[in-house]
Amino acid sequence: MPLLAAERLRAAGLRPAIVDVDVHHGNGTQGIFYERDDVLTASIHADPDRFYPFFWGHAQERGEGRGLGCNLNLPLARGTDDEGFLKALGTALERVSMHGADVLVVALGLDASVDDPFQGLAVTQDGFARIGAALAGHGLPVLFVQEGGYLSDSLGINLTRVLDGYQTTV
Ligand SMILES: [Zn+2]
């Protein structure tokens, strides 16, 4: 779980940020860190107006109290492709830099795939490689926490592509 990883990193004196690339909004993670400013949380996901979890994940949810501004939601229209996803990832990584994070926890769901049965977003296999490359290119150490992704023939390939993209860039 990304939140356990983040807590362990905090306990070790680091300043982690969580970037969630799963097609579903990271509502559990958002809830836990919503009033905290020590862990930035960013989630890229299919717009919850028409997608699970429906009640959370909107852009105006920015954190509360001390945590105001430390939660970033980047909802994308259903069917958004590689370009749109990577643009949002760039926005998330910029915010990670602004926050002064020194380690990145990536909630690596693979269900933003164009082949995923839920059909939320449309990231291709090349897109997953580019996600890995963008994470590596950002420069912080990355801890991948693998999450969901529903049965499709490309699930394993997409995981391999993210890690390949990461490895060839780092
Ligand atoms: Zn998911």
Side-chain angles (χ1 to χ4, degrees):
M1 303 249 292
L3 67 101
L4 292 178
E7 294 287 18
R8 287 289 291 271
L9 293 164
R10 282 293 301 144
L14 294 166
R15 186 171 170 83
I18 299 173
V19 173
D20 184 331
V21 299
D22 188 284
V23 77
H24 299 101
H25 173 243
N27 52 313
T29 302
Q30 169 172 303
I32 284 159
F33 294 108
Y34 207 60
E35 296 182 30
R36 288 172 53 173
D37 61 1
D38 58 337
V39 178
L40 176 82
T41 50
S43 180
I44 303 164
H45 47 266
D47 192 327
D49 275 348
R50 300 182 58 196
F51 205 71
Y52 185 87
F54 302 107
F55 300 104
W56 299 278
H58 303 96
Q60 66 268 26
E61 296 157 30
R62 301 180 53 241
E64 252 171 38
R66 289 172 62 89
L68 185 62
C70 297
N71 186 80
L72 175 65
N73 283 329
L74 296 163
L76 300 175
R78 290 284 293 266
T80 293
D81 62 7
D82 294 348
E83 299 308 323
F85 194 97
L86 282 150
K87 192 168 169 235
L89 181 58
T91 302
L93 292 175
E94 251 172 57
R95 182 68 68 86
V96 167
S97 299
M98 280 167 52
H99 190 74
D102 50 19
V103 57
L104 198 53
V105 177
V106 176
L108 183 60
L110 297 161
D111 46 8
S113 166
V114 66
D115 298 322
D116 190 84
F118 282 92
Q119 293 286 294
L121 299 175
V123 177
T124 66
Q125 294 178 16
D126 282 345
F128 279 107
R130 291 171 65 192
I131 289 170
L135 293 168
H138 185 250
L140 291 183
V142 175
L143 175 69
F144 287 105
V145 180
Q146 202 191 334
E147 296 194 335
Y150 303 88
L151 268 189
S152 74
D153 289 342
S154 65
L155 193 53
I157 298 165
N158 289 336
L159 175 60
T160 308
R161 294 300 303 271
V162 171
L163 298 177
D164 274 351
Y166 182 83
Q167 233 174 0
T168 52
T169 308
V170 80

